[in-house]
Amino acid sequence: MLDREGFRPNVGIILLNQKNQVFWGKRIRTHSWQFPQGGIDRGETPEQAMYRELHEEVGLMPEHVAIVARTRDWLRYEVPDRYIRRDARGHYKGQKQIWYLLRLIGHDWNLNLRATNHPEFDAWRWNDYWVPLDVVVEFKRGVYEMALTELSRYLPRTDPRNRYLRGNLRHRDGADSGPVSSHMGLELPPGASFDPDPQTMATQSAPIQQRSGG
């Protein structure tokens, strides 16, 4: 479902814990990290799509979260041709997104990366609100910065350091993020959780193919 300009309607989710840290997921079998997101199906409202994607990608139900805020307008990013299927080139341009800021009112153990048979992530961690954009696929970075900036005004003021974190956003590229741990050939940042798919454990030692988009 595309609009007249070739953008697919989509929702993005920034999920907060009680420390104003955000859910940060590693895309399955890649080294890219991102927030949960997904397309809006025909007949769905953005809020309905958000709750569906929340369950499909991280296993949470509506009762596990509270909506804090959402972006006022659509935020758009264009997808480079090399990431677009040949049959979609010429009419598909990219994504337009409504971003939601949610607070987790459940528990960490309510999160489940294997809620469906088509998982999006194979690891996750709680990260500072101003996430390191250098590990986000390049064409999404601008939208991430716009969404984080717009929604930052609604952050619950539980940590006086939050106002100082924004200054680090543009200085994280290439910065040393500390020791990196490894599990089954996957490099994970400090504090990451690894949630392997038992059916693919036997193939985890094979070369990992990078993919982006989605």
Side-chain angles (χ1 to χ4, degrees):
M1 183 176 67
L2 303 178
D3 67 11
R4 294 180 179 180
E5 297 177 332
F7 289 91
R8 182 189 182 200
N10 192 284
V11 292
I13 299 170
I14 301 174
L15 176 66
L16 298 171
N17 65 11
Q18 298 302 315
K19 298 179 180 179
N20 282 352
Q21 297 170 317
V22 295
F23 173 94
W24 198 223
K26 189 180 79 63
R27 288 179 62 89
I28 191 166
R29 292 186 291 276
T30 78
H31 293 287
S32 295
W33 291 70
Q34 69 171 50
F35 293 123
Q37 69 171 63
I40 300 174
D41 292 339
R42 189 176 300 276
E44 279 188 321
T45 66
E47 185 171 316
Q48 289 170 337
M50 178 272 292
Y51 281 125
R52 176 178 53 76
E53 291 292 339
L54 184 70
H55 179 257
E56 290 178 0
E57 297 200 357
V58 298
L60 294 179
M61 304 297 290
E63 59 265 27
H64 294 141
V65 299
I67 298 177
V68 178
R70 52 159 279 182
T71 53
R72 183 173 181 176
D73 296 312
W74 297 101
L75 302 180
R76 292 171 171 80
Y77 66 81
E78 296 185 11
V79 177
D81 284 346
R82 66 181 180 275
Y83 295 106
I84 301 175
R85 297 193 315 269
R86 290 183 180 275
D87 61 347
R89 294 176 184 175
H91 54 88
Y92 172 75
K93 194 171 183 179
Q95 307 269 19
K96 66 176 186 180
Q97 300 178 309
I98 294 293
W99 281 83
Y100 285 86
L101 182 65
L102 307 181
R103 173 167 288 281
L104 179 66
I105 57 177
H107 303 280
D108 286 13
W109 60 78
N110 294 131
L111 281 82
N112 176 16
L113 303 186
R114 303 290 165 180
T116 71
N117 293 326
H118 304 284
E120 185 71 23
F121 305 113
D122 58 19
W124 72 276
R125 64 172 294 178
W126 291 116
N127 199 91
D128 288 340
Y129 181 81
W130 298 104
V131 295
L133 297 183
D134 56 309
V135 295
V136 178
V137 65
E138 186 174 2
F139 57 83
K140 294 183 180 181
R141 294 175 187 176
V143 162
Y144 270 46
E145 183 165 3
M146 287 189 288
L148 288 165
T149 299
E150 180 176 344
L151 295 174
S152 66
R153 72 188 70 178
Y154 303 106
L155 282 174
R157 299 188 180 279
T158 59
D159 186 345
R161 295 176 300 169
N162 280 334
R163 58 180 176 170
Y164 299 110
L165 295 177
R166 180 179 176 184
N168 294 329
L169 181 63
R170 295 179 180 85
H171 302 291
R172 296 293 289 271
D173 290 4
D176 182 5
S177 58
V180 176
S181 60
S182 177
H183 187 104
M184 298 297 292
L186 296 175
E187 292 184 350
L188 307 180
S193 301
F194 183 76
D195 187 2
D197 182 348
Q199 295 181 356
T200 62
M201 284 292 286
T203 63
Q204 288 279 347
S205 59
I208 298 173
Q209 299 296 320
Q210 180 95 15
R211 73 176 179 88
S212 301

